[in-house]
Amino acid sequence: RCSTDDTSKEGFKAERPSDAVTVTGLGDQAFWEPSLGQLHVLKGHNWAIITSGPSAIKDRTPDQAKQVAGLIVDGL
């Protein structure tokens, strides 16, 4: 969490890995990080990192994390 929305957006963009896949329809910005099996969602100045699914990273999917994100993003 950053003090301003602009600072949050800058940090979110700077920390986005090169293998990230853009996800639409969640928060202000979102991406799937396949190397960690994590969904990153930015809404306002709140940045949520969601890990959902099997313990083996290779078995996680963005769809699993999106289901969790759908439950929490509105509350950020």
Side-chain angles (χ1 to χ4, degrees):
R1 182 173 186 167
C2 293
S3 59
T4 67
D5 290 349
D6 288 340
T7 304
S8 296
K9 289 176 187 175
E10 291 167 14
F12 194 78
K13 183 177 179 180
E15 294 298 320
R16 182 185 167 116
S18 60
D19 66 342
V21 178
T22 299
V23 174
T24 59
L26 291 172
D28 299 325
Q29 298 178 44
F31 65 83
W32 172 252
E33 186 174 359
S35 60
L36 296 177
Q38 295 178 329
L39 178 64
H40 295 249
V41 180
L42 180 69
K43 183 175 178 190
H45 55 267
N46 295 301
W47 179 348
I49 301 172
I50 301 165
T51 304
S52 178
S55 58
I57 293 171
K58 66 179 181 60
D59 294 333
R60 295 181 194 152
T61 67
D63 290 334
Q64 294 164 329
K66 285 181 195 178
Q67 289 177 358
V68 174
L71 298 172
I72 65 168
V73 168
D74 285 342
L76 294 177

